[in-house]
Amino acid sequence: MRTLISTAFISLDGVVEAPGGEPGYRNSGWTFKDIEFLPEAFDIKGREQKEATAVLMGRTSYEAFSPVWPDMAEFADYKVMPKYVVSTTLTEDDLVPNWGETTILRSLDEIAALKNTEGGPIIVHGSAALNRSLSDAGLIDRYHLLVFPLLLGAGKRLFSTTDKDAQKLKLVEHEAFANGLQKNVFDVVR
């Protein structure tokens, strides 16, 4: 079974919306405003590209990343690995031609089936709604969280508000940085 890893830039109050400057959100670009850039705080992002063997994302994140990431040197490793987009509305004609193999998945059952294939870790980027659905379905195995020392209030959240039994996490890696960022890596305890 493959490991499904959710990776996110997240505010202390759980917001994941528009960290890189995506339009339409009041606090858009919050990951680089008034926070000193320390390369070592972002080392986990490079490690994720080396360890992942596939990328999973929702339609909205695909539509944000696909025009930009294929030509960015920072994301070169993602260009060559298989990508899976979860959407009930995208068609093959909506996929960009310059970003390698991309498969459209239509349901959580198809994601569960993908996890049951041979291969290495699958990384989930962006995709707030997808992350909540994956978590509620018990499909996420690990969280890579880069926590920013901000309270953003309103915004899309990483975690579901569904009334459910407690889900235990095990902290397997952590580090605090001089700029206030915290890296927290949690395994989901089953």
Side-chain angles (χ1 to χ4, degrees):
M1 178 176 279
R2 300 172 82 172
T3 302
L4 189 62
I5 302 169
S6 170
T7 182
F9 294 142
I10 187 168
S11 69
L12 191 58
D13 58 348
V15 175
V16 294
E17 186 169 355
E22 298 81 359
Y25 176 60
R26 176 183 183 170
N27 292 310
S28 185
W30 50 270
T31 59
F32 54 84
K33 291 180 180 174
D34 301 321
I35 295 179
E36 177 188 5
F37 178 76
L38 295 178
E40 60 271 21
F42 296 89
D43 283 348
I44 193 169
K45 304 320 277 176
R47 193 174 84 206
E48 288 170 350
Q49 284 189 70
K50 297 298 181 199
E51 294 173 358
T53 59
V55 179
L56 177 69
M57 66 196 93
R59 179 194 51 80
T60 301
S61 292
Y62 177 80
E63 289 174 343
F65 299 155
S66 64
V68 183
W69 280 23
D71 297 321
M72 291 180 72
E74 298 95 317
F75 302 112
D77 292 327
Y78 287 138
K79 186 169 184 169
V80 297
M81 69 178 67
K83 281 156 284 304
Y84 298 89
V85 182
V86 182
S87 173
T88 58
T89 59
L90 278 181
T91 67
E92 294 292 324
D93 292 338
D94 296 319
L95 302 177
V96 298
N98 64 330
W99 204 17
E101 176 190 344
T102 304
T103 303
I104 299 170
L105 302 177
R106 302 291 183 196
S107 68
L108 290 173
D109 288 341
E110 289 185 24
I111 298 166
L114 173 64
K115 277 189 64 173
N116 282 320
T117 62
E118 294 293 318
I122 303 165
I123 194 111
V124 182
H125 275 285
S127 310
L130 176 60
N131 266 287
R132 291 188 298 272
S133 295
L134 291 169
S135 178
D136 286 348
L139 293 174
I140 294 177
D141 301 299
R142 175 174 275 197
Y143 289 96
H144 288 186
L145 304 178
L146 202 51
V147 183
F148 285 71
L150 299 168
L151 300 175
L152 297 173
K156 294 178 184 173
R157 300 236 178 320
L158 182 66
F159 300 106
S160 169
T161 59
T162 301
D163 186 15
K164 60 183 176 183
D165 292 338
Q167 184 174 46
K168 187 168 174 48
L169 304 175
K170 179 182 178 187
L171 184 66
V172 295
E173 184 181 341
H174 64 91
E175 191 170 355
F177 302 95
N179 61 358
L181 269 67
Q182 297 176 34
K183 172 181 65 179
N184 293 302
V185 176
F186 294 98
D187 280 343
V188 175
V189 176
R190 305 222 190 275

